[in-house]
Protein backbone atom coordinates (compact mmCIF):
# COMPACT_ATOMS: atom_id res chain seq x y z
CA UNK A 1 0.00 0.00 0.00
CA UNK A 2 1.17 3.50 -0.77
CA UNK A 3 1.82 5.98 2.01
CA UNK A 4 1.03 8.89 -0.29
CA UNK A 5 -1.50 11.31 1.17
CA UNK A 6 -4.93 11.24 -0.48
CA UNK A 7 -5.22 13.68 -3.39
CA UNK A 8 -6.30 17.10 -2.26
CA UNK A 9 -9.48 17.99 -4.17
CA UNK A 10 -8.93 21.70 -3.61
CA UNK A 11 -5.50 21.49 -5.18
CA UNK A 12 -6.98 19.73 -8.23
CA UNK A 13 -9.74 22.31 -8.47
CA UNK A 14 -7.20 25.16 -8.41
CA UNK A 15 -5.01 23.52 -11.09
CA UNK A 16 -8.08 22.90 -13.20
CA UNK A 17 -9.31 26.48 -12.93
CA UNK A 18 -5.90 27.71 -14.06
CA UNK A 19 -5.76 25.30 -17.03
CA UNK A 20 -9.30 26.25 -17.98
CA UNK A 21 -8.51 29.97 -17.88
CA UNK A 22 -5.60 29.34 -20.23
CA UNK A 23 -7.83 27.29 -22.52
CA UNK A 24 -10.45 30.06 -22.78
CA UNK A 25 -7.73 32.57 -23.71
CA UNK A 26 -6.46 30.17 -26.41
CA UNK A 27 -9.94 29.73 -27.83
CA UNK A 28 -10.29 33.51 -28.05
CA UNK A 29 -6.91 33.77 -29.80
CA UNK A 30 -7.85 30.97 -32.25
CA UNK A 31 -11.12 32.72 -33.04
CA UNK A 32 -9.22 35.89 -33.97
CA UNK A 33 -6.65 33.96 -36.04
CA UNK A 34 -9.27 32.10 -38.08
CA UNK A 35 -11.73 35.00 -38.50
CA UNK A 36 -10.89 35.35 -42.22
CA UNK A 37 -12.14 31.79 -42.73
CA UNK A 38 -15.03 31.65 -40.30
CA UNK A 39 -16.34 35.22 -40.21
CA UNK A 40 -16.43 34.92 -36.40
CA UNK A 41 -13.55 36.88 -34.79
CA UNK A 42 -15.14 36.58 -31.35
CA UNK A 43 -17.49 33.93 -30.04
CA UNK A 44 -20.63 34.94 -28.15
CA UNK A 45 -20.56 35.48 -24.39
CA UNK A 46 -23.00 32.58 -24.03
CA UNK A 47 -20.69 30.18 -25.90
CA UNK A 48 -17.63 31.24 -23.88
CA UNK A 49 -19.62 30.90 -20.64
CA UNK A 50 -20.72 27.40 -21.66
CA UNK A 51 -17.11 26.45 -22.44
CA UNK A 52 -16.14 27.72 -18.98
CA UNK A 53 -18.95 25.81 -17.32
CA UNK A 54 -18.79 22.28 -18.80
CA UNK A 55 -16.29 20.08 -16.89
CA UNK A 56 -14.27 18.62 -19.79
CA UNK A 57 -12.27 16.39 -17.40
CA UNK A 58 -15.47 14.36 -16.88
CA UNK A 59 -15.56 13.49 -20.60
CA UNK A 60 -11.99 12.44 -21.46
CA UNK A 61 -11.92 9.09 -19.69
CA UNK A 62 -10.03 7.87 -16.63
CA UNK A 63 -6.32 8.64 -16.64
CA UNK A 64 -6.60 11.45 -19.22
CA UNK A 65 -7.81 14.20 -16.88
CA UNK A 66 -4.41 15.93 -16.74
CA UNK A 67 -4.71 16.92 -20.42
CA UNK A 68 -8.46 17.59 -20.34
CA UNK A 69 -8.03 21.36 -20.64
CA UNK A 70 -5.39 21.28 -23.38
CA UNK A 71 -6.72 22.81 -26.60
CA UNK A 72 -6.31 19.46 -28.38
CA UNK A 73 -8.46 16.56 -29.55
CA UNK A 74 -8.06 13.37 -27.49
CA UNK A 75 -8.78 9.68 -27.95
CA UNK A 76 -11.99 8.37 -26.37
CA UNK A 77 -11.47 4.75 -27.51
CA UNK A 78 -13.10 2.82 -30.41
CA UNK A 79 -10.93 4.82 -32.84
CA UNK A 80 -12.91 7.97 -31.98
CA UNK A 81 -11.90 11.35 -30.60
CA UNK A 82 -13.32 14.15 -28.47
CA UNK A 83 -12.91 17.28 -30.63
CA UNK A 84 -10.52 20.13 -29.95
CA UNK A 85 -12.20 22.64 -27.57
CA UNK A 86 -11.73 25.53 -30.03
CA UNK A 87 -13.60 23.51 -32.70
CA UNK A 88 -16.40 22.73 -30.21
CA UNK A 89 -16.69 26.45 -29.40
CA UNK A 90 -16.61 27.43 -33.10
CA UNK A 91 -19.30 24.93 -34.12
CA UNK A 92 -21.48 25.96 -31.16
CA UNK A 93 -21.06 29.64 -32.08
CA UNK A 94 -21.88 29.07 -35.77
CA UNK A 95 -25.20 27.44 -34.82
CA UNK A 96 -26.46 30.65 -33.09
CA UNK A 97 -28.30 28.61 -30.46
CA UNK A 98 -31.13 30.31 -28.55
CA UNK A 99 -32.47 28.78 -25.32
CA UNK A 100 -35.18 26.23 -26.09
CA UNK A 101 -33.85 25.42 -29.58
CA UNK A 102 -34.17 21.80 -30.63
CA UNK A 103 -30.83 20.56 -31.87
CA UNK A 104 -29.99 17.30 -33.65
CA UNK A 105 -26.44 16.11 -33.05
CA UNK A 106 -24.83 13.31 -35.05
CA UNK A 107 -21.81 11.73 -33.31
CA UNK A 108 -22.34 11.87 -29.53
CA UNK A 109 -18.90 10.40 -28.79
CA UNK A 110 -18.07 11.35 -25.21
CA UNK A 111 -21.08 13.67 -24.94
CA UNK A 112 -18.88 16.76 -24.43
CA UNK A 113 -20.29 18.74 -27.38
CA UNK A 114 -23.77 17.59 -26.30
CA UNK A 115 -23.16 19.11 -22.86
CA UNK A 116 -21.98 22.43 -24.32
CA UNK A 117 -25.18 22.65 -26.41
CA UNK A 118 -27.33 21.77 -23.37
CA UNK A 119 -25.46 24.40 -21.36
CA UNK A 120 -26.52 26.92 -24.04
CA UNK A 121 -30.14 26.02 -23.27
CA UNK A 122 -30.74 23.68 -26.20
CA UNK A 123 -32.84 20.54 -26.13
CA UNK A 124 -30.42 18.07 -27.72
CA UNK A 125 -31.32 14.93 -29.70
CA UNK A 126 -28.04 13.08 -30.14
CA UNK A 127 -27.29 9.99 -32.24
CA UNK A 128 -24.21 7.81 -31.89
CA UNK A 129 -23.31 4.87 -34.14
CA UNK A 130 -21.22 3.00 -31.55
CA UNK A 131 -23.45 1.58 -28.81
CA UNK A 132 -20.48 1.22 -26.43
CA UNK A 133 -20.01 5.02 -26.59
CA UNK A 134 -23.71 5.99 -26.51
CA UNK A 135 -24.45 4.20 -23.22
CA UNK A 136 -21.63 5.75 -21.18
CA UNK A 137 -22.26 9.20 -22.73
CA UNK A 138 -25.95 9.00 -21.75
CA UNK A 139 -25.05 7.98 -18.18
CA UNK A 140 -22.38 10.70 -17.88
CA UNK A 141 -24.70 13.46 -19.11
CA UNK A 142 -27.43 12.32 -16.68
CA UNK A 143 -24.97 12.17 -13.77
CA UNK A 144 -23.79 15.73 -14.52
CA UNK A 145 -27.39 16.98 -14.55
CA UNK A 146 -27.84 17.61 -18.29
CA UNK A 147 -31.49 16.62 -18.40
CA UNK A 148 -32.47 18.27 -21.70
CA UNK A 149 -30.61 15.69 -23.80
CA UNK A 150 -31.60 12.41 -25.41
CA UNK A 151 -28.92 10.02 -26.65
CA UNK A 152 -29.80 7.10 -28.91
CA UNK A 153 -27.72 4.53 -30.77
CA UNK A 154 -28.33 4.90 -34.49
CA UNK A 155 -27.01 5.80 -37.93
CA UNK A 156 -27.02 9.55 -38.43
CA UNK A 157 -27.22 9.17 -42.22
CA UNK A 158 -30.94 8.53 -41.73
CA UNK A 159 -31.55 11.45 -39.37
CA UNK A 160 -33.71 11.15 -36.24
CA UNK A 161 -35.84 7.97 -36.53
CA UNK A 162 -39.13 8.36 -38.37
CA UNK A 163 -40.87 6.39 -35.58
CA UNK A 164 -40.49 9.57 -33.52
CA UNK A 165 -42.31 11.93 -35.92
CA UNK A 166 -43.06 14.51 -33.22
CA UNK A 167 -39.41 15.59 -33.13
CA UNK A 168 -38.22 17.10 -36.48
CA UNK A 169 -37.77 19.69 -37.90
CA UNK A 170 -34.77 20.93 -35.91
CA UNK A 171 -33.69 24.52 -35.31
CA UNK A 172 -30.07 23.45 -35.71
CA UNK A 173 -28.10 20.34 -36.70
CA UNK A 174 -24.48 19.59 -35.79
CA UNK A 175 -22.49 16.73 -37.26
CA UNK A 176 -19.17 15.80 -35.62
CA UNK A 177 -18.02 13.08 -38.04
CA UNK A 178 -17.26 13.79 -41.71
CA UNK A 179 -19.34 12.40 -44.59
CA UNK A 180 -18.36 13.02 -48.21
CA UNK A 181 -21.60 14.84 -48.95
CA UNK A 182 -24.36 16.26 -46.77
CA UNK A 183 -26.78 13.44 -45.93
CA UNK A 184 -30.10 14.16 -47.61
CA UNK A 185 -32.14 13.16 -44.51
CA UNK A 186 -30.38 15.83 -42.45
CA UNK A 187 -31.20 18.60 -44.95
CA UNK A 188 -34.81 17.35 -44.87
CA UNK A 189 -34.96 17.49 -41.05
CA UNK A 190 -33.51 21.02 -40.85
CA UNK A 191 -36.29 23.52 -40.22
CA UNK A 192 -36.80 26.74 -42.19
CA UNK A 193 -34.53 29.43 -40.77
CA UNK A 194 -32.33 26.62 -39.43
CA UNK A 195 -28.55 26.19 -39.45
CA UNK A 196 -26.41 23.08 -39.84
CA UNK A 197 -22.66 22.81 -39.21
CA UNK A 198 -20.96 19.78 -40.73
CA UNK A 199 -17.43 18.75 -41.79
CA UNK A 200 -17.53 17.60 -45.43
CA UNK A 201 -14.89 15.61 -47.30
CA UNK A 202 -13.83 12.13 -48.34
CA UNK A 203 -11.36 10.04 -46.36
CA UNK A 204 -8.29 11.18 -48.36
CA UNK A 205 -9.51 14.71 -49.06
CA UNK A 206 -9.25 17.92 -47.11
CA UNK A 207 -12.46 18.32 -45.16
CA UNK A 208 -14.15 21.69 -44.86
CA UNK A 209 -16.26 22.72 -41.94
CA UNK A 210 -19.41 23.78 -43.77
CA UNK A 211 -22.33 25.99 -42.76
CA UNK A 212 -25.65 25.07 -44.34
CA UNK A 213 -28.62 27.37 -43.94
CA UNK A 214 -32.25 26.94 -44.92
CA UNK A 215 -34.07 30.25 -45.33
CA UNK A 216 -37.72 31.03 -44.64
CA UNK A 217 -38.65 30.00 -48.20
CA UNK A 218 -36.84 26.66 -47.80
CA UNK A 219 -33.86 27.55 -50.03
CA UNK A 220 -30.68 25.79 -48.92
CA UNK A 221 -27.27 27.48 -49.09
CA UNK A 222 -23.92 25.82 -48.41
CA UNK A 223 -20.74 27.67 -47.46
CA UNK A 224 -17.37 25.95 -46.89
CA UNK A 225 -15.51 27.75 -44.06
CA UNK A 226 -12.43 26.15 -42.55
CA UNK A 227 -10.22 23.11 -43.29
CA UNK A 228 -10.63 20.56 -40.48
CA UNK A 229 -9.85 16.91 -39.65
CA UNK A 230 -12.72 14.82 -38.24
CA UNK A 231 -13.13 11.04 -38.08
CA UNK A 232 -15.16 9.78 -41.04
CA UNK A 233 -18.92 9.38 -40.74
CA UNK A 234 -19.58 5.67 -41.27
CA UNK A 235 -22.65 3.76 -42.36
CA UNK A 236 -23.86 1.28 -39.79
N1 LIG B 1 -18.76 15.21 -30.47
C1 LIG B 1 -17.98 14.14 -29.87
C2 LIG B 1 -16.85 13.71 -30.75
C3 LIG B 1 -17.34 12.79 -31.75
S1 LIG B 1 -16.16 11.87 -32.72
C4 LIG B 1 -17.44 14.58 -28.52
O1 LIG B 1 -17.60 15.74 -28.16
O2 LIG B 1 -16.87 13.74 -27.84
C5 LIG B 1 -17.33 11.35 -33.97
C6 LIG B 1 -18.38 10.39 -33.49
O3 LIG B 1 -19.25 10.14 -34.58
C7 LIG B 1 -17.82 9.02 -33.07
O4 LIG B 1 -18.20 8.73 -31.77
C8 LIG B 1 -18.41 8.07 -34.09
O5 LIG B 1 -18.70 6.79 -33.55
C9 LIG B 1 -19.67 8.80 -34.51
N2 LIG B 1 -20.22 8.43 -35.82
C10 LIG B 1 -19.55 8.10 -36.96
N3 LIG B 1 -20.42 7.81 -37.95
C11 LIG B 1 -21.67 7.97 -37.43
C12 LIG B 1 -22.99 7.81 -37.96
N4 LIG B 1 -23.22 7.41 -39.21
N5 LIG B 1 -24.05 8.05 -37.13
C13 LIG B 1 -23.86 8.43 -35.84
N6 LIG B 1 -22.62 8.60 -35.29
C14 LIG B 1 -21.54 8.36 -36.07
Amino acid sequence: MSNAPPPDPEKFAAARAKAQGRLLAEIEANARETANWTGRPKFSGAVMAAMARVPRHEFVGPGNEAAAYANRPQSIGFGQTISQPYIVALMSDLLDIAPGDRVLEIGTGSGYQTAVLAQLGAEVFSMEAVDALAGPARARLARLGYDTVRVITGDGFGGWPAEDPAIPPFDAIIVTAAPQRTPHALVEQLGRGGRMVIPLGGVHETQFLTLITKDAAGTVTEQGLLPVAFVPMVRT
Side-chain angles (χ1 to χ4, degrees), residues 76 78 80-83 88 105-114 127-130 133 154-157 176-177 230-236:
I76 52 170
F78 305 94
Q80 306 303 335
T81 53
I82 176 172
S83 303
V88 171
E105 176 186 49
I106 308 301
T108 318
S110 68
Y112 176 66
Q113 172 79 71
T114 322
M127 298 181 72
E128 169 55 51
V130 178
L133 286 170
D155 182 355
F157 276 104
T176 66
F230 279 80
V231 297
M233 186 165 166
V234 294
R235 287 183 189 276
T236 58

Side-chain angles (χ1 to χ4, degrees), residues 177-191:
Q180 190 145 20
R181 274 181 286 288
T182 315
H184 182 67
L186 300 185
V187 178
E188 286 282 298
Q189 292 192 346
L190 184 65

Side-chain angles (χ1 to χ4, degrees), residues 192-194 212-222:
R192 293 183 176 204
I212 296 173
T213 53
K214 191 184 267 190
D215 70 14
T219 306
V220 175
T221 310
E222 203 172 296

Side-chain angles (χ1 to χ4, degrees), residues 82-107:
I82 176 172
S83 303
Q84 181 187 17
Y86 150 69
I87 290 289
V88 171
L90 171 63
M91 292 175 86
S92 304
D93 197 76
L94 288 168
L95 290 174
D96 289 340
I97 304 289
D101 276 359
R102 282 142 57 104
V103 181
L104 173 64
E105 176 186 49
I106 308 301

Side-chain angles (χ1 to χ4, degrees), residues 21-107:
R22 217 167 21 225
L23 173 60
L24 294 175
E26 279 182 34
I27 292 171
E28 283 180 350
N30 287 167
R32 282 193 299 274
E33 288 155 14
T34 52
N36 281 346
W37 297 87
T38 65
R40 299 271 166 123
K42 196 171 170 15
F43 301 151
S44 75
V47 165
M48 293 309 289
M51 295 301 294
R53 202 63 195 275
V54 177
R56 195 166 188 265
H57 61 279
E58 298 278 4
F59 293 86
V60 293
N64 297 319
E65 294 90 345
Y69 294 93
N71 192 16
R72 306 293 304 162
Q74 273 171 250
S75 167
I76 52 170
F78 305 94
Q80 306 303 335
T81 53
I82 176 172
S83 303
Q84 181 187 17
Y86 150 69
I87 290 289
V88 171
L90 171 63
M91 292 175 86
S92 304
D93 197 76
L94 288 168
L95 290 174
D96 289 340
I97 304 289
D101 276 359
R102 282 142 57 104
V103 181
L104 173 64
E105 176 186 49
I106 308 301

